[in-house]
């Protein structure tokens, strides 16, 4: 394939037209509005999305998922330099008696062992915000008999009144853990679980409880808390390392830009250098994993398997066992072998792909502003993701407090909804001695709460639609800019002064409906995939093999369908940018055009994508290795400069993922240029 810059398409109908009319500027200037109905539908959907967001923001309260909730529906926010740590009502009212009470105290921690704890993420016992945790074992009966202990006991009672029903039946020596008062458990020699030095305790009701019972209850109450603790540690790491992460991302951007500029002038040499460097970087990764695996030989505890280790909140523990480094080494070795084999078998096709990249480099050189367009795409995608996440949080926290009857004896009203203000005036307390009306979870009975799941679904669907629209807009804009380069008779004289701005204006003015149509089709498939994943999670416990097989087949089919639609949409958008036809017509033309050149598409296009993917791996590998040595403190010269972190992999992983997205943004310009020139050539 030879692309002649002086006469791009001498045998095409547009080449013939140019012979008779030197002012002819190609097909990109002949167009009108397309798919108007989809444009109107998309605008109405966006307006509805804004309405859902406003409704969610007016009803929701994100503090409900951040702070622990007591039995009255109040929650205890953490201490900050600017605010007192107080038990606040959801309406943000603060009482004087609730000031400076950062810890959550359970009346009966043993009830946290109930399955309801995992079902509703709320321990079915009375909970209070307290200033400090109890430090000794006491019972309510002993407090009645010992007047000197009554004032101490009252601080763990509702309303500060020493009375049965308002106070816990016993207190246990506890320690604050993630702002909750949990029993001060320890293990003696022989594996005996104790609290203090005792193994059994008076429960205040004439019975005995064992320390092992407290252990089980504490584990159940910490299922959600541990995840929150990890999230808080990760958040702390981001607060102390965010500026270093930004520096790493800027370095990744500079390296990507330098690589692209060098590719403009030294495409052939840079491709071969890139191939060799990728092989060397992966080889170094294999060598490093092998050295770590060897250095841990004989170390205590290094032979423990990942399965035996289980889930740990301190992820650095996994790097102290040999099996982790062995797994990394095997994965990198497989990647190295696959890359080398592909290069060996596709060596002739690589030479042709390099020629295509050289032509794309000339096009990018004439449209340099295209390299910075991905920044706009990133900004728009970040805006879409932020709006979706914030709306989802506010929707999930816009429920009202639901109170239910909790009882210690047989009661026909057990688990019924109740009103705590009117509970004492009903006959429930008379029929069910010891029953209480306690906060259970957040819900609601209004129309808004009944259709809350519909709003959540609408939020997810519009997220996919908007994200796909932004991606489609970027593809059409770049395709239009490179098409204007291809159809320019005299380069660079006939290329528009601002090809990116001109192409973006054409896409928004004429083809918003086509972009909305294509992204709508893709969004429907993606939503179906999300629903299939949801069903798969729900049916995991089921033993029906046919249902599992059917779900697996459906997931596989829709995954393939999504990939095909993405491929077809991409080429349809290129045809829309070139000819300005509707989405369906462009998709049909693109499909038949590709089918007529299927061998060229399969060989040249995919080999080019593979070479550009190696460029992304090279940039990510360079930046990732540098960030690993910096954040792990292995560079002695900057050891004191590196921030102190809970998990040093947090900024490393962030930099690696960010570097890949940045490199993908720059190289996606090349990929779009190659695809556009290829389709123009096929025409």
């Amino acid at each position: 394939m030879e692309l002649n810059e002086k006469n791009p398409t001498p045998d095409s109908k547009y080449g013939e037209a140019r012979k008779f009319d030197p002012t002819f500027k190609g097909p990109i200037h002949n167009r009108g509005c397309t798919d108007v109905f989809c444009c109107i539908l998309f605008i109405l959907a966006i307006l509805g999305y804004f309405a859902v967001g406003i409704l969610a923001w007016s009803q929701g309260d994100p503090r409900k998922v951040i702070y622990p909730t007591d039995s009255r529906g109040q929650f205890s926010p953490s201490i900050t330099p600017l605010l007192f740590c107080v038990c606040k009502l959801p309406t943000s009212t603060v009482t004087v008696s609730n000031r400076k009470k950062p810890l959550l105290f359970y009346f009966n921690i043993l009830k946290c062992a109930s399955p309801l704890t995992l079902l509703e993420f709320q321990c079915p016992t009375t909970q209070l915000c307290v200033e400090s945790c109890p430090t000794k074992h006491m019972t309510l009966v002993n407090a009645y008999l010992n007047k000197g202990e009554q004032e101490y006991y009252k601080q763990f009672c509702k309303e500060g009144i020493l009375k049965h029903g308002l106070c816990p039946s016993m207190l246990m020596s506890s320690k604050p853990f993630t702002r909750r008062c949990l029993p001060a458990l320890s293990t003696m020699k022989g594996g005996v679980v104790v609290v203090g030095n005792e193994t059994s305790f008076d429960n205040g009701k004439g019975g005995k409880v064992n320390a092992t019972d407290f252990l089980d209850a504490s584990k159940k109450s910490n299922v959600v808390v541990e995840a929150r603790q990890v999230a808080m540690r990760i958040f702390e790491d981001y607060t102390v390392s965010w500026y270093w992460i930004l520096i790493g991302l800027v370095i990744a951007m500079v390296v990507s830009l330098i690589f692209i500029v060098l590719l403009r002038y030294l495409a052939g040499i840079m491709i071969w250098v890139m191939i060799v460097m990728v092989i060397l970087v992966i080889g170094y990764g294999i060598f490093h994993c092998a050295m770590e695996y060897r250095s841990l030989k004989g170390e205590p505890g290094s032979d423990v398997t990942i399965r035996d280790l289980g889930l740990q909140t301190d992820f650095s523990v996994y790097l102290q066992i040999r099996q982790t480094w062995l797994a990394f080494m095997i994965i990198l070795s497989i990647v190295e072998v696959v890359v080398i084999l592909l290069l060996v078998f596709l060596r002739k096709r690589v030479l042709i792909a390099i020629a295509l990249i050289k032509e794309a480099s000339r096009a990018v050189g004439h449209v340099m502003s295209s390299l910075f367009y991905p920044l706009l795409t990133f900004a728009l995608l970040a805006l879409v993701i932020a709006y979706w996440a914030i709306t989802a949080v506010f929707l999930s926290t816009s429920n009202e407090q639901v109170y239910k009857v909790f009882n210690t004896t047989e009661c026909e009203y057990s688990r019924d909804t109740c009103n705590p203000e009117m509970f004492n005036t009903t006959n429930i307390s008379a029929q069910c001695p010891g029953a209480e009306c306690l906060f259970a979870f957040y819900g609601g009975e209004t129309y808004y709460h009944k259709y809350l799941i519909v709003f959540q679904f609408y939020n997810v669907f519009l997220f996919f639609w908007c994200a796909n629209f932004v991606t489609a807009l970027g593809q059409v804009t770049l395709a239009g800019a490179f098409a204007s380069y291809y159809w320019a008779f005299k380069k660079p004289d006939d290329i528009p002064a601002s090809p990116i701005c001109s192409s973006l204006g054409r896409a928004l003015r004429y083809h918003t409906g086509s972009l909305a149509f294509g992204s709508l089709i893709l969004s429907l498939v993606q939503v179906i995939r999300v629903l299939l994943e949801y069903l798969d999670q729900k049916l995991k416990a089921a033993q029906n093999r046919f249902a599992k097989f059917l779900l697996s087949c459906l997931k596989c089919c829709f995954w393939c369908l999504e990939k095909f639609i993405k491929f077809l949409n991409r080429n349809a958008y290129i045809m829309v940018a070139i000819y300005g036809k509707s989405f369906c017509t462009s998709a049909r033309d693109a499909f038949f055009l590709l089918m007529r050149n299927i061998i060229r598409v399969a060989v040249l296009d995919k080999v080019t994508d593979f070479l550009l993917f190696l460029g992304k791996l090279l940039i990510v590998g360079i930046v990732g290795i540098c960030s690993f040595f910096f954040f792990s403190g292995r560079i002695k010269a900057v050891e004191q400069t590196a921030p102190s972190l809970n998990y040093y992999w947090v900024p490393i992983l962030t930099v690696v993922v960010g570097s890949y997205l940045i490199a993908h943004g720059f190289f996606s310009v090349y990929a779009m240029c190659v695809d556009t020139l290829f389709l123009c050539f096929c025409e």
Side-chain angles (χ1 to χ4, degrees), residues 184-201 211-212 215:
L185 295 160
S186 59
T187 305
M188 299 182 65
K189 291 183 178 180
V192 179
V193 179
V194 297
V195 179
N197 292 322
E198 301 293 331
T199 58
S200 61
F201 305 89
T212 53
L215 178 62

Side-chain angles (χ1 to χ4, degrees), residues 2 133 231 266 350 375 386 406 433 438 466 539 623 634 655 679:
E2 182 70 21
C133 296
L266 304 170
V350 168
L375 297 178
F406 290 90
L438 303 179
C466 293
L539 297 176
V623 178
R634 303 198 179 194
V655 170
L679 276 184

Side-chain angles (χ1 to χ4, degrees), residues 180-491:
R180 286 167 168 79
C181 293
L182 298 180
L185 295 160
S186 59
T187 305
M188 299 182 65
K189 291 183 178 180
V192 179
V193 179
V194 297
V195 179
N197 292 322
E198 301 293 331
T199 58
S200 61
F201 305 89
D202 181 9
N203 63 0
K205 298 179 181 179
K208 292 285 186 179
V209 292
N210 295 321
T212 53
D213 298 331
F214 291 109
L215 178 62
D216 184 50
S218 298
K219 288 181 178 179
K220 288 286 182 66
S221 66
N222 284 327
V223 169
V224 181
V225 179
E226 288 182 359
R228 185 178 295 158
Q229 181 187 19
V230 173
M232 291 303 297
R233 289 179 179 176
I234 292 175
F235 179 76
E236 290 175 1
D237 288 341
Y238 278 124
T239 58
V240 299
S241 62
W242 63 271
Y243 46 92
W244 291 110
I245 293 175
L246 288 180
I247 292 174
L249 296 179
V250 170
I251 292 174
M253 186 178 297
V254 172
V255 172
S256 300
L257 189 59
I258 292 174
F259 196 91
I260 293 294
V261 172
L262 292 176
L263 202 61
R264 164 69 178 90
Y265 299 101
L266 304 170
I269 297 175
M270 286 301 298
I271 292 296
W272 288 112
V273 169
M274 177 184 68
I275 292 172
V276 174
M277 287 294 293
V278 167
I279 295 175
L280 291 178
V281 168
I282 298 177
Y284 172 77
I286 297 172
F287 171 76
H288 180 80
C289 293
M291 294 301 296
E292 291 287 345
Y293 178 78
R294 183 179 179 183
S295 64
L296 289 173
K297 185 178 181 180
E299 292 291 329
S302 62
D303 292 327
V304 177
T305 63
I306 297 177
R307 175 178 292 183
D308 294 337
L309 194 62
L311 180 62
Q312 300 291 327
T313 56
D314 186 4
F315 294 98
S316 62
V317 175
Y318 294 105
L319 300 179
Q320 299 173 11
I321 60 177
R322 303 184 74 199
Q323 193 181 67
T324 302
W325 294 105
L326 178 62
F328 287 158
M329 185 170 60
I330 293 174
I331 293 172
L332 290 176
S333 300
I334 293 174
V335 173
E336 183 88 322
V337 171
V338 170
V339 170
I340 293 175
L341 289 178
L342 286 175
L343 291 173
V344 170
F345 286 105
L346 298 175
R347 59 188 181 278
K348 293 183 179 180
R349 303 300 178 185
V350 168
L351 297 175
I352 302 175
I354 290 175
L356 189 58
I357 292 177
K358 287 181 179 179
E359 182 64 27
S361 297
R362 284 194 286 270
V364 173
H366 287 296
V367 191
M368 286 297 292
S369 58
S370 61
L371 292 176
F372 301 97
Y373 182 81
L375 297 178
L376 176 61
T377 302
F378 285 149
L380 292 176
L381 283 176
L383 182 64
V384 170
I385 294 173
Y387 185 88
W388 163 77
I390 294 172
T391 303
V393 170
F394 274 87
L395 281 174
S396 62
T397 58
S398 59
N399 290 315
E400 298 175 347
Q401 300 156 336
V402 175
Y403 298 85
K404 291 195 174 184
V405 177
F406 290 90
N407 56 293
T408 56
T409 60
E410 291 294 330
C411 180
E412 60 177 315
Y413 300 102
S414 178
R415 306 298 298 162
D416 286 355
T417 304
C418 60
N419 186 343
E421 297 180 358
M422 306 293 295
F423 184 73
N424 292 331
T425 62
T426 64
N427 60 349
I428 298 178
S429 57
Q431 295 183 18
C432 305
E436 295 180 276
C437 184
L438 303 179
F439 170 77
F441 54 87
Y442 285 99
E445 301 296 334
T446 65
Y447 282 106
Y448 171 75
H449 296 105
K450 288 181 180 179
Y451 293 102
L452 200 56
I453 185 65
V454 177
F455 294 140
Q456 285 283 21
F457 180 81
Y458 188 78
N459 183 36
V460 172
F461 177 72
L462 262 293
F463 163 71
F464 282 119
W465 197 358
C466 293
N468 290 326
F469 179 85
V470 170
T471 303
L473 179 62
Q475 291 174 346
V476 169
T477 300
L478 292 175
F482 293 125
S484 65
Y485 158 83
Y486 185 87
W487 295 109
F489 188 60
K490 294 181 180 180
K491 300 178 179 60

Side-chain angles (χ1 to χ4, degrees), residues 3 9 57 72 78 80 83 126 179 313 366 372 375 389 391 394 436 445 455 490 502 508 579 645 677:
L3 298 177
T9 54
W57 299 341
R72 292 176 293 173
S78 59
T80 64
L83 298 174
T126 303
R179 293 186 285 113
T313 56
H366 287 296
F372 301 97
L375 297 178
T391 303
F394 274 87
E436 295 180 276
E445 301 296 334
F455 294 140
K490 294 181 180 180
S502 300
L508 292 175
Y579 296 108
L645 302 167
L677 297 181

